[in-house]
RNA sequence: GGCCGCGUACCAAAGUGGUUGAAUGGAGCGGAUUGCAAAUCCGCUGAGCGUAAGCUCCUCGCCGGUUCGAAUCCGGCCGCGGCCUCCA
């Protein structure tokens, strides 16, 4: 059964049929870089990554696919938003404070109190929005690569795969001009200080993606659209394309005056620049569920207004939000983790990645420490298979879908709207039956892991001392070493009472021990 | 008010008309192993009767319906969540 995906645009499961399977075009709304990305951000990016990997996998089956034998390629583009949008976007992106400026203040505070994140270039200038953006962008890329986000890895050799709005201002201006000339946008205000709005009433399909048609918006505005700042708009739902504002922290020259672009236009432009085909369409577009409205609705209005076509992205993919320990994540509650927070706790990238991808993308996954531990164990089990099998001398034939029930069932699950939990069930049942892994087992696992992307990730290094082996990136510690030495002596003297006390003491300090062959002790963090 | 989604056993999570008392992972219990642990491996984990094979009863939010047959389809109800111009 070929791959079927839930398309938010049609609100149903449909066969995924790219225009050219040998070159599938996929645009993902990426991070904004005025802070570190958290696990919620990464869940949606990784969901897109798994989808991309699945389409590229030879295990995946597509309807009407002439590229099946020659291989499919996904051109995946993810932007990095380095323009600071407004903190108060309730009126369409014109009010409040620029987020990049807010980030600058935060960094300045941190710098004063000596609390800049470890490894920060001390020359970082918190008053310069471009350096702030660069600072967080490089941290994002670092995290993303550790988590195996393929687009971030690809972008190392082809940076155009991760475009930045600040580099695309001329193209945005051109699209805005096109929209004005086609009657989809209008400028208001005195020359040189103009504001350009999209005219939603010029685009009848507005609301098709989100259900927020102009009628629904009118009746359900809920009082959030005030009269203030609406005066110049033709319709309350008209949204900002350009705002001339010479006092703004980041600004560029434009026909309407020096200022900044609206926050929807960048994605329309960047998707078109790198991906659009001769019809101005792309195959796939993803973003967190909160992007459905207004962001993606507005992107469609912009792109289709510009191209005159009915479609922008043929399939819209919207992963749902992540909860943390059962609660909705929110910055004010502080119940969120950045990827870096977790790395710092010694949790390895593979466990984080698996925990973030193992729940179906269209349900609200719940991120828990218990879940991370579960994922870690799964990873370790799979690793044992590939490690043992890797040293086997059996000839490793490339696994063929038709010869392997595991691969077939795995593919069947994945083809059904990326049923990854079902697919993991298949994988684990199979893994559980393997006592003596062979090279062909390893090949099967490798084929699966090219989709899951967990086994290829870096494994924290172990550091060995005379007595102990420190796992999970732990560094040898004098206190621990002393207790280990004493414990070793106690055990040699068969003073097990003392040796157990020492083990308890270490446990209280957060270290878990495991006696291994050769008299050494493995030390890992208590989960 | 509009649009969308969800409710499965201790937890997470598959399953979407029969082979399902319900995959898989965790947790729990028992066993192997260990000085003891940890890790690993094996077995068990709704209830009742039985030495056993097995039989009976109750299960997938609740109520009702369709069907020879429903966790799976239909209707109603209850509960939870998301979006509706900050957010992945």
């Amino acid at each position: 059964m070929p791959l079927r995906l839930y398309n938010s645009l049609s609100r149903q499961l449909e066969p995924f049929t790219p225009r050219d399977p040998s070159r599938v075009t996929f645009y993902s709304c990426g991070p904004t870089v005025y802070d570190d990305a958290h696990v919620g951000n990464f869940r949606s990016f990784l969901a897109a990554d798994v989808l991309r990997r699945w389409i590229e996998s030879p295990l995946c089956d597509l309807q009407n696919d002439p590229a099946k034998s020659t291989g499919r390629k996904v051109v995946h583009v993810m932007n990095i938003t380095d323009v600071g949008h407004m903190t108060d976007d309730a009126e369409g992106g014109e009010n409040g404070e620029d987020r990049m400026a807010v980030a600058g203040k935060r960094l300045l505070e941190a710098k004063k109190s000596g609390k800049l994140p470890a490894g920060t270039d001390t020359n970082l200038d918190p008053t310069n929005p471009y350096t702030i953006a660069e600072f967080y962008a490089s941290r994002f890329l670092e995290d993303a690569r550790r988590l195996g986000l393929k687009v971030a890895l690809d972008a190392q050799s082809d940076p155009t795969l991760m475009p930045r709005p600040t580099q695309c201002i001329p193209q945005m201006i051109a699209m805005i001009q096109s929209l004005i000339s086609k009657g989809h946008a209008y400028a208001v205000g005195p020359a040189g200080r103009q504001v350009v709005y999209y005219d939603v009433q010029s685009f009848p399909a507005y609301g098709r993606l989100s259900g927020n048609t102009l009628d629904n918006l009118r009746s359900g505005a809920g009082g959030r659209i005030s009269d203030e700042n609406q005066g110049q708009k033709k319709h309350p739902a008209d949204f900002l394309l350009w705002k001339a504002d010479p006092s703004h922290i980041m600004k560029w020259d434009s026909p309407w005056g020096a200022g900044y672009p609206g926050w929807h236009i960048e994605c329309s432009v960047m998707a078109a620049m790198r991906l659009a085909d001769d019809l101005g369409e792309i195959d796939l577009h993803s973003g967190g569920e909160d992007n459905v409205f207004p962001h993606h609705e507005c992107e469609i209005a912009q792109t289709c207004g510009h191209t005159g076509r009915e479609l922008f992205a043929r399939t819209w993919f919207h992963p749902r939000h992540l909860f943390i320990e059962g609660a909705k994540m929110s910055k004010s509650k502080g119940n969120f983790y950045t990827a870096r927070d977790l790395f710092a706790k010694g949790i390895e990238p593979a466990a984080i990645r698996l925990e973030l991808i193992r729940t179906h993308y269209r349900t609200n996954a719940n991120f828990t420490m218990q879940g991370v531990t579960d994922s870690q164990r799964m990873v370790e089990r799979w690793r044992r298979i590939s490690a043992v099998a890797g040293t086997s001398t059996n000839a490793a034939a490339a696994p063929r879908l038709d010869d392997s029930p595991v691969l077939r069932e795995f593919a069947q699950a994945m083809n059904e709207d990326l049923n990854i939990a079902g697919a993991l069930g298949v994988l684990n049942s199979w893994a559980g039956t393997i006592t003596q892994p062979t090279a062909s087992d390893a090949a099967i696992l490798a084929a699966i892991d090219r989709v899951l992307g967990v086994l290829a990730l870096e494994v924290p290094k172990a550091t060995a001392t005379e007595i102990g082996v420190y796992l999970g990136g732990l560094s040898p510690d004098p206190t621990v070493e002393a207790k280990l030495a004493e414990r070793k002596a106690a055990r040699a003297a068969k003073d097990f009472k003392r040796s157990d006390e020492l083990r308890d003491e270490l446990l209280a300090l957060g270290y878990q021990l495991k006696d291994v062959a050769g008299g050494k002790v493995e030390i890992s963090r208590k989960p």
Side-chain angles (χ1 to χ4, degrees), chain A residues 3-8 12-13 43-44 46-48 50-51 289 316-323 353-367 412-424:
Chain A
L3 172 63
R4 297 201 304 161
L5 283 179
Y6 183 89
N7 184 353
S8 312
Q12 60 188 12
L13 239 42
R43 149 124 143 135
S44 106
L46 290 175
V50 169
L51 171 59
E289 57 170 326
W316 288 85
F317 180 83
H318 290 113
R320 296 176 68 81
H321 278 174
L322 185 69
F323 284 55
R353 180 175 167 108
L354 182 58
E355 177 62 7
L356 288 174
I357 64 172
R358 66 195 262 232
T359 307
H360 188 85
Y361 74 92
R362 274 192 301 118
T363 68
N364 290 115
N366 186 11
F367 188 92
Q412 218 162 32
M414 289 299 285
N415 278 333
E416 195 58 19
D417 198 29
L418 304 185
N419 179 359
I420 195 155
L424 290 178

Side-chain angles (χ1 to χ4, degrees), chain A residues 114-151:
Chain A
K115 287 179 185 159
L116 279 178
T120 306
D121 179 357
T122 46
N123 292 321
L124 177 74
D125 175 6
T127 62
N128 181 334
Y130 296 91
T131 60
I132 295 167
E134 188 46 46
F135 172 69
Y136 284 115
S138 65
R139 287 162 72 89
F140 171 76
L141 288 170
E142 206 180 295
D143 293 346
R145 284 172 191 142
R146 293 187 76 182
L147 290 173
L149 196 69
K150 229 173 162 185
V151 63

Side-chain angles (χ1 to χ4, degrees), chain A residues 6-65:
Chain A
Y6 183 89
N7 184 353
S8 312
L9 190 63
S10 63
R11 291 179 198 131
Q12 60 188 12
L13 239 42
E14 44 187 55
F16 176 63
T17 50
R19 277 194 79 209
D20 175 4
S22 68
R23 185 179 180 278
V24 176
T25 51
F26 186 6
Y27 183 88
S28 291
C29 286
T32 47
V33 285
Y34 28 73
D35 208 343
D36 286 325
H38 52 64
V39 286
N41 302 118
F42 276 113
R43 149 124 143 135
S44 106
F45 302 147
L46 290 175
D49 186 62
V50 169
L51 171 59
R52 176 257 172 98
R53 285 166 179 263
W54 180 243
I55 294 169
E56 286 184 334
S57 170
L59 305 177
C60 171
D61 192 16
L62 247 45
Q63 190 167 300
N64 304 326
D65 180 11

Side-chain angles (χ1 to χ4, degrees), chain A residues 75-127:
Chain A
V75 186
H76 189 193
V77 169
M78 178 182 281
N79 66 301
I80 294 183
T81 295
D82 57 356
V83 174
H85 297 302
M86 298 295 111
T87 52
D88 177 7
D89 248 348
E91 306 296 349
E94 302 180 56
N95 297 307
E97 216 176 341
D98 187 290
R99 289 177 185 282
M100 210 58 83
V102 175
K105 281 186 196 161
R106 198 180 56 234
L107 283 172
L108 192 61
E109 283 300 311
K111 196 170 182 179
K112 277 184 192 157
S113 56
K115 287 179 185 159
L116 279 178
T120 306
D121 179 357
T122 46
N123 292 321
L124 177 74
D125 175 6
T127 62

Side-chain angles (χ1 to χ4, degrees), chain A residues 91 217-227:
Chain A
E91 306 296 349
L217 281 174
R218 235 193 297 268
S219 61
R224 293 185 70 167
I225 295 173
S226 66
D227 291 338

Side-chain angles (χ1 to χ4, degrees), chain A residues 219-270:
Chain A
S219 61
R224 293 185 70 167
I225 295 173
S226 66
D227 291 338
E228 276 179 276
N229 289 303
Q230 294 293 340
Q232 298 180 301
K233 291 187 188 177
K234 292 183 183 173
H235 186 282
D238 286 355
F239 55 92
L240 188 73
L241 294 173
W242 189 270
K243 172 140 179 157
D245 180 357
S247 66
H248 197 71
I249 182 171
M250 290 171 117
K251 58 178 186 287
W252 296 268
D253 285 331
S254 84
W256 312 283
Y260 60 92
W263 68 286
H264 307 304
I265 193 74
E266 62 183 53
C267 287
S268 281
V269 165
M270 289 185 287

